[in-house]
Amino acid sequence: TQMRGVVGNLNWASREGMPQGAGDASLLAGTLPTPKVKDLTAANAALRRLMSNDVPLLIKPIPFDKLGLLTFSDSSLGNAGQGKAQLANMVCAVDKSIHLGKEADISILVYRSHKNPRAASSTLLNEANALSETLADAEWVASWFGLAKDLKYDLRKRHQLNREIRINSILSDKDCELDIASITDAKSLYDSLIQQQYTGAEKRAALEVCVIRDSLESLGGKARWVPHDNNPVDGLTKLAGNVQPLLDL
């Protein structure tokens, strides 16, 4: 009962505006209904961390003509139970000047951390699933922006209309962490997105990459990468992860 209460507090706080606790809340909820002593200890520690990192979420005023989207995605491998991965993603509203490499206002709009419902055989497939879900959220947000700008916005034409909102998808490491472990000539998700060729050893990931490319094209966007220790959602894919980049954001 105490464990359920602590996890409930973590879930409520994370859902209401503390994304830094989303990873801990999701992973600890997965230990129920049969948690171990170490899980209860981890839950208490997670609650203490959340209380000590009380950082407000600020929604910055950004004019519509300067409004863009920035997404972050990441995944772990096999740490969510039953051999499944933990996925995390975030969609932010930004000033379009960020696409020019300038420091710009940013507002966190959508975030979540959850277990991948599908058991994936490689890190690449998990990363592809995470990015695909992120872009689905981004398309949803972009469509709401379209409706806010124009009451005659036609959802059937969103693939053309949403291109006004330029989007960048930020990925984690483009090298070691995204390698396909089952083959020798490994390719990363980032490399798969910017190149037309792919290895035939991971066909499911290749199909997901096609979906991602189509979504990026619909939003007029492109993918970029950052080292995993600079990715704000890296800490949302593991228990007691490093959430400092997210707090800085």
Side-chain angles (χ1 to χ4, degrees):
T1 303
Q2 291 180 340
M3 177 69 172
R4 290 185 183 276
V6 173
V7 172
N9 289 335
L10 288 171
N11 273 318
W12 181 86
S14 300
R15 183 178 64 250
E16 295 301 319
M18 302 185 76
Q20 65 269 29
D24 289 337
S26 176
L27 288 166
L28 288 168
T31 66
L32 299 173
T34 56
K36 299 178 181 178
V37 174
K38 66 175 184 178
D39 298 323
L40 183 56
T41 302
N44 289 329
L47 186 58
R48 287 194 296 269
R49 285 194 301 273
L50 199 61
M51 294 174 65
S52 63
N53 292 324
D54 186 9
V55 178
L57 278 182
L58 300 179
I59 304 298
K60 304 292 184 67
I62 303 174
F64 264 128
D65 60 336
K66 296 182 179 179
L67 185 64
L69 290 179
L70 186 66
T71 71
F72 301 90
S73 66
D74 198 18
S75 76
S76 62
L77 183 62
N79 68 333
Q82 301 177 335
K84 295 184 179 179
Q86 189 75 8
L87 308 183
N89 58 63
M90 181 181 294
V91 179
C92 305
V94 294
D95 188 300
K96 287 184 178 181
S97 61
I98 199 172
H99 300 313
L100 303 176
K102 299 179 180 179
E103 185 172 331
D105 287 337
I106 183 169
S107 301
I108 297 175
L109 301 179
V110 179
Y111 58 87
R112 60 175 169 164
S113 174
H114 67 100
K115 180 194 294 187
N116 190 351
R118 295 177 288 178
S121 58
S122 70
T123 306
L124 176 62
L125 182 52
N126 282 317
E127 293 283 356
N129 287 336
L131 180 54
S132 183
E133 289 188 5
T134 307
L135 291 174
D137 288 343
E139 289 192 55
W140 180 78
V141 172
S143 296
W144 273 108
F145 284 163
L147 286 168
K149 291 174 64 177
D150 185 1
L151 290 177
K152 297 181 180 180
Y153 176 88
D154 190 347
L155 281 172
R156 292 170 296 183
K157 299 179 180 179
R158 65 187 183 278
H159 296 300
Q160 290 80 33
L161 300 174
N162 286 349
R163 291 181 65 87
E164 293 181 23
I165 303 176
R166 293 184 55 199
I167 181 172
N168 273 285
S169 292
I170 306 297
L171 312 171
S172 284
D173 277 326
K174 73 167 188 175
D175 293 318
C176 60
E177 287 205 359
L178 298 182
D179 286 349
I180 303 175
S182 60
I183 59 173
T184 57
D185 186 18
K187 288 287 184 181
S188 69
L189 176 57
Y190 178 77
D191 290 336
S192 297
L193 288 170
I194 63 175
Q195 298 177 8
Q196 293 298 321
Q197 59 185 5
Y198 66 92
T199 175
E202 185 53 275
K203 293 183 175 61
R204 292 187 184 276
L207 291 172
E208 200 70 49
V209 166
C210 291
V211 174
I212 293 170
R213 284 177 178 165
D214 183 69
S215 188
L216 283 172
E217 183 179 355
S218 172
L219 289 164
K222 58 183 178 180
R224 297 187 179 185
W225 69 273
V226 294
H228 72 92
D229 53 350
N230 291 334
N231 190 344
V233 298
D234 176 69
L236 304 188
T237 62
K238 49 186 71 72
L239 194 61
N242 177 25
V243 297
Q244 192 57 49
L246 177 57
L247 296 176
D248 293 340
L249 180 68

